[in-house]
Amino acid sequence: MLKKKAVPSMVKDQQLIKKRREQMIKGAVRLFIEKGFHRTTTREIAKESGFSIGTLYEYIGSKEDVLYLVCDAIYEEVRDRLHQQIDTDKTGLERLKKAIAALFHVIDEMQDEVLVMYQEAKSLPKEDLPYVLQKEVEMTEMMEEVIYACIEEGVLDLSEQEIKLLANNILVSGHMWTFRRWVMQKLYTLEEYTKLQTEQLLAGVTQKTKEG
């Protein structure tokens, strides 16, 4: 397991660090959506966050640290929300369908943040990128666990490779609601999109199970 980066801070009060960095993350996301990471300055981040450039540098060492904090915080929130919304009371395909709907709902609620994360993660220093990408793997593994439960209950019959591909396809389908929102959100409501994507995602694997 990759370790979380220790972002430098001259302040020792952990509660204050948490508060200031949350302000920083919100301000940075707004700016990154509008201008992108490279065109945004630390001075602009400080102003958008509600404090001076001097105060900003008490809580980070560089602009790249801000991007790292943004990506890490967004992944954590998406993962936590998804974990809360996956319905463990359901069984079989119904639980998988609920998990897909939960993922799409979370991504819809955080679409600006998700878009920033994927557009700007490439700007992270190469030593920081593996940790952030590991977060994506963890989210995919959450979906894999739900698929495994379906297999244990006998409602799906998939190989290891097929499980991983289905889990990744589900994640990508959720992300598409954000990446191609300029067209998808004109064609469908979230409910329509979720229903159609779920049907298409599960059509092939359920058919394979019936034939098997």
Side-chain angles (χ1 to χ4, degrees), residues 6 46 51 54 61 192:
F51 37 75
E192 290 168 341

Side-chain angles (χ1 to χ4, degrees), residues 28 43 45 65 71-72 83 88-89 92 103-104 131 149 155 160 164 168 180 193-194:
R43 191 171 296 280
I45 293 170
D65 285 342
C71 291
D72 186 47
H83 184 73
T88 52
D89 293 335
L103 173 69
F104 288 11
Y131 171 79
V155 295
E160 186 74 19
K164 291 189 178 299
N168 278 280
R180 293 184 60 81
Y193 180 81
T194 301

Side-chain angles (χ1 to χ4, degrees), residues 81-97:
R81 287 197 193 187
L82 180 57
H83 184 73
Q84 291 168 11
Q85 290 195 36
I86 290 179
D87 193 342
T88 52
D89 293 335
K90 302 292 182 183
T91 58
L93 285 178
E94 193 58 33
R95 184 175 179 222
L96 181 54
K97 289 176 182 177

Side-chain angles (χ1 to χ4, degrees), residues 19-33 45 48-49 66 69-70 73-74 77 113:
K19 179 182 176 182
R20 289 286 184 257
R21 286 182 175 172
E22 284 174 355
Q23 291 174 269
M24 198 184 303
I25 288 163
K26 288 178 183 176
V29 166
R30 288 191 292 268
L31 289 167
F32 293 167
I33 289 168
I45 293 170
E48 190 72 18
S49 305
V66 179
L69 291 171
V70 165
I74 292 169
E77 187 164 355
E113 289 88 346

Side-chain angles (χ1 to χ4, degrees), residues 38-140:
H38 289 294
R39 292 177 57 218
T40 298
T41 67
T42 49
R43 191 171 296 280
E44 288 171 328
I45 293 170
K47 183 179 179 182
E48 190 72 18
S49 305
F51 37 75
S52 69
I53 185 71
T55 300
L56 181 82
Y57 276 109
E58 290 178 2
Y59 296 92
I60 57 156
S62 67
K63 189 171 76 165
E64 285 72 22
D65 285 342
V66 179
L67 179 59
Y68 177 88
L69 291 171
V70 165
C71 291
D72 186 47
I74 292 169
Y75 266 120
E76 289 288 329
E77 187 164 355
V78 171
R79 191 188 63 182
D80 290 348
R81 287 197 193 187
L82 180 57
H83 184 73
Q84 291 168 11
Q85 290 195 36
I86 290 179
D87 193 342
T88 52
D89 293 335
K90 302 292 182 183
T91 58
L93 285 178
E94 193 58 33
R95 184 175 179 222
L96 181 54
K97 289 176 182 177
K98 290 287 185 183
I100 294 170
L103 173 69
F104 288 11
H105 180 73
V106 169
I107 288 176
D108 178 66
E109 286 191 338
M110 297 184 64
Q111 54 187 281
D112 285 343
E113 289 88 346
V114 170
L115 192 61
V116 163
M117 181 175 63
Y118 281 101
Q119 285 181 335
E120 305 299 346
K122 63 184 181 295
S123 299
L124 284 166
K126 62 181 181 180
E127 64 270 19
D128 295 340
L129 189 57
Y131 171 79
V132 172
L133 294 180
Q134 178 62 33
K135 298 287 187 179
E136 178 80 3
V137 173
E138 290 172 10
M139 283 199 291
T140 309

